[in-house]
Amino acid sequence: PLNVDSTHAANLVSDFDVAAANEAEAVNKTEELIAFARGLDIDDLDKDGNTSEAREWLFGDALHSRPLPINYGSYGSYTDPSNSAIYLAVATNDGMLRMIRNTNPGGSESGEEVWAFMPRNAMKAQKTLRANGSGMKHPYTVDGAPVALLQDRNFDGSIVANDGDKVYLYVGMRRGGKAYYALDVTNPEKPSLMWTIEKSGDFAELGYTFSNPRVGLINSPNGPRAVVMFAGGYDMNKDTRGVVGTDDSEGNAIYIVDAETGELIWKARGGNGGSATVFEHPQLVDSIPSTLAAADTDGDGLTDRIVVGDTGGNVWRADIQGPDTAEWKLTLLASLGRHTSGAMGIISDRRFFHRPDIVPSKDGNGMFDAVVIGSGNRPNPLDTDGMTVNFMFMLKDRHTAPGSGVDENIQLNQLGDVTDNCLQSDTPCAVDLSKGWRLMLEEPGEKVLATPLTLVGKVFFTSYLPQADGGATSCSPSEGSGRLYAVSLQDATSVMNYDSSDDDPDNPD
């Protein structure tokens, strides 16, 4: 079921020239688009003369979204412990956030969509989707990955509203718009819209909502408080190719809001000044499309630190420790892109689109929090009109105590260059790793387009390599290729060899 009221229905024909048509025709066009959005074969695509049946295929592409399974346990009629009530939430580019039932209470397979929610901001794409013209660009609508906050008050493994249990669902639009939506899905088959955040008022800096929300608990004067955290998003200014990126007019912010109301609790943005709930930093001039890395660094169950990179190649740390937001702050951990010392134009125009990994560690100089992050311009994977030299970085943040962040502003040339792997050669070299390391991605156009993962001192990350011959043709796509790296967290020396092409079969060692 898709509910569209008369006010929202106007958005479906926002560019329909009502002045040039009579009222009856305008109403008819609106009703047709509503029917199309609901999945009816209004244009008789199967040529059977029936326009009131469902279309053969209703599901839009989940291009950048990811299905999110939510386990409700022994919910309602799901009384068999071996068959939990599991539902999957996913966003698709026909404008829907969908909820899909996994199995029926008796245990048989289901896969039925129990509801779909279309935000008002996604309705304008329905005319394009219905026309489906060969020359039309792919429409983006609800393209973010949903995130859930699940509160099982008595820890019994089941969601029961009478026990005070709650399930909240959050999603952004990514390139489809500048908005976040929160739904109460405590009853997985009867959702209700809790709040909407759009670009205005306290969220005037909001760009395209690329940053997937993070949920957690923070300290507050009234005790632990459930929050949603996200970055300011993407500024399409950075889509311009062949030039070094410039300062952005939106997206250069970090937000923390109340999980139930959407009320702004604190934000950081560019500028000079601020207040008890607004921290301003003069060097925050680039949009932040990345998902935030949120950490509880002292183990008390409350988020006290955020780390994230921006599209100018900067890496930021936010300290949100303690109940007083006036004490929270944003500091510049590193400058590794266009702002770094000795930057060389587009070669140095490194951008961060993906969440960094935070890893507590130590070396001969003491404790540090390793920030592992890779650069790569996701909207320009083929490096059209210019090529940037990208790296995987490990930064050593030695201010490990909550609230102790400073503007360290580590520069590219301060990181030990471990690219040629001389540390593992027959004649080991000396590399200054006191502030971390940088590992250059050596193939033309090679870039990191995913979050790294660190396990037992090993960093695993992937890279994308554009097709060497310069791109796609009309008959074949340019998929390019990829690599998987496994290196030591401490010094980036190789810890696994996945390339068996040059192995000696007579000497496997």
Side-chain angles (χ1 to χ4, degrees):
L2 170 68
N3 295 321
V4 183
D5 61 35
S6 58
T7 301
H8 291 178
N11 288 271
L12 292 166
V13 289
S14 58
D15 59 345
F16 181 75
D17 191 359
V18 178
N22 59 44
E23 183 177 353
E25 183 179 359
V27 170
N28 181 60
K29 290 291 185 182
T30 301
E31 291 177 346
E32 286 183 358
L33 281 175
I34 292 173
F36 171 83
R38 286 176 167 159
L40 296 181
D41 187 16
I42 193 68
D43 298 308
D44 195 19
L45 298 177
D46 58 3
K47 308 300 182 185
D48 66 353
N50 186 356
T51 59
S52 60
E53 63 183 353
R55 295 194 301 276
E56 181 179 358
W57 189 262
L58 307 180
F59 211 84
D61 63 280
L63 185 60
H64 295 105
S65 187
R66 295 187 300 272
L68 173 71
I70 305 175
N71 191 341
Y72 288 78
S74 297
Y75 175 87
S77 300
Y78 289 81
T79 57
D80 183 351
S82 65
N83 180 44
S84 296
I86 298 175
Y87 291 77
L88 288 88
V90 64
T92 55
N93 275 311
D94 53 358
M96 308 289 188
L97 174 63
R98 304 174 182 273
M99 186 72 97
I100 300 167
R101 184 189 300 117
N102 181 40
T103 61
N104 293 310
S108 61
E109 297 295 331
S110 175
E112 179 184 357
E113 179 183 286
V114 295
W115 56 261
F117 165 68
M118 178 183 285
R120 181 171 182 173
N121 288 318
M123 293 178 182
K124 59 187 177 183
Q126 295 305 307
K127 285 190 68 177
T128 301
L129 290 164
R130 182 184 178 189
N132 197 27
S134 59
M136 293 180 172
K137 291 184 177 181
H138 175 277
Y140 295 90
T141 55
V142 189
D143 200 30
V147 175
L149 173 63
L150 192 152
Q151 298 177 338
D152 181 6
R153 299 288 186 180
N154 57 6
F155 302 101
D156 65 351
S158 298
I159 300 302
V160 180
N162 291 339
D163 292 342
D165 298 341
K166 296 289 185 182
V167 183
Y168 300 142
L169 194 61
Y170 308 95
V171 69
M173 300 186 72
R174 207 175 182 277
R175 199 175 279 266
K178 305 173 185 179
Y180 285 100
Y181 301 91
L183 290 87
D184 185 339
V185 293
T186 304
N187 181 334
E189 303 202 10
K190 292 184 179 179
S192 62
L193 183 64
M194 295 167 57
W195 49 258
T196 300
I197 288 176
E198 296 179 309
K199 182 183 177 65
S200 64
D202 288 335
F203 304 94
E205 305 84 11
L206 195 64
Y208 286 85
T209 48
F210 278 44
S211 181
N212 288 331
R214 301 298 302 273
V215 298
L217 296 174
I218 54 129
N219 203 344
S220 80
N222 298 317
R225 186 176 185 181
V227 298
V228 179
M229 301 164 279
F230 51 90
Y234 187 58
D235 188 337
M236 297 298 184
N237 169 56
K238 285 294 200 312
D239 275 352
T240 303
R241 296 175 175 175
V243 298
V244 178
T246 57
D247 294 355
D248 294 324
S249 60
E250 61 183 12
N252 54 327
I254 295 172
Y255 298 101
I256 300 176
V257 305
D258 184 273
E260 292 192 353
T261 67
E263 173 192 2
L264 179 69
I265 297 173
W266 182 83
K267 70 177 176 181
R269 66 183 181 189
N272 293 279
S275 65
T277 58
V278 180
F279 186 94
E280 295 187 342
H281 197 293
Q283 291 169 278
L284 183 54
V285 296
D286 295 280
S287 57
I288 309 178
S290 171
T291 299
L292 304 173
D296 168 20
T297 62
D298 59 6
D300 65 354
L302 304 175
T303 301
D304 53 46
R305 188 179 305 174
I306 291 170
V307 179
V308 70
D310 67 24
T311 53
N314 295 318
V315 181
W316 297 93
R317 164 177 168 169
D319 284 280
I320 57 172
Q321 188 262 345
D324 185 1
T325 57
E327 300 295 323
W328 296 3
K329 61 183 176 181
L330 181 75
T331 52
L332 180 59
L333 177 59
S335 182
L336 308 171
R338 69 185 182 95
H339 304 285
T340 197
S341 175
M344 301 172 61
I346 202 166
I347 294 175
S348 304
D349 192 14
R350 285 171 281 275
R351 306 179 186 187
F352 297 119
F353 278 82
H354 293 275
R355 175 176 57 84
D357 199 14
I358 306 175
V359 188
S361 190
K362 65 179 180 179
D363 59 11
N365 295 322
M367 304 294 295
F368 66 88
D369 290 325
V371 176
V372 187
I373 188 170
S375 66
N377 188 1
R378 188 180 181 103
N380 188 14
L382 304 181
D383 286 298
T384 305
D385 300 322
M387 191 165 291
T388 301
V389 177
N390 290 297
F391 292 84
M392 175 57 70
F393 300 99
M394 190 276 280
L395 310 171
K396 293 183 177 180
D397 185 355
R398 298 191 182 275
H399 302 276
T400 58
S404 64
V406 298
D407 279 323
E408 190 163 357
N409 200 4
I410 298 171
Q411 301 294 301
L412 181 73
N413 58 16
Q414 293 180 289
L415 299 172
D417 188 352
V418 296
T419 305
D420 64 3
N421 198 26
C422 66
L423 295 172
Q424 282 182 297
S425 66
D426 293 335
T427 55
C429 58
V431 179
D432 183 4
L433 301 174
S434 59
K435 292 187 179 295
W437 49 257
R438 68 184 194 269
L439 174 63
M440 186 173 75
L441 307 181
E442 297 184 282
E443 294 299 322
E446 188 176 5
K447 54 183 61 66
V448 175
L449 299 180
T451 294
L453 175 65
T454 306
L455 293 171
V456 292
K458 301 178 179 69
V459 177
F460 298 85
F461 68 94
T462 58
S463 69
Y464 170 73
L465 288 74
Q467 187 166 301
D469 62 9
T473 68
S474 59
C475 298
S476 63
S478 174
E479 298 97 340
S481 59
R483 286 179 172 173
L484 170 63
Y485 291 81
V487 301
S488 166
L489 174 70
Q490 291 291 335
D491 56 14
T493 52
S494 59
V495 294
M496 292 185 183
N497 181 16
Y498 293 102
D499 183 5
S500 60
S501 62
D502 58 353
D503 286 355
D504 182 353
D506 298 324
N507 183 17
D509 294 333

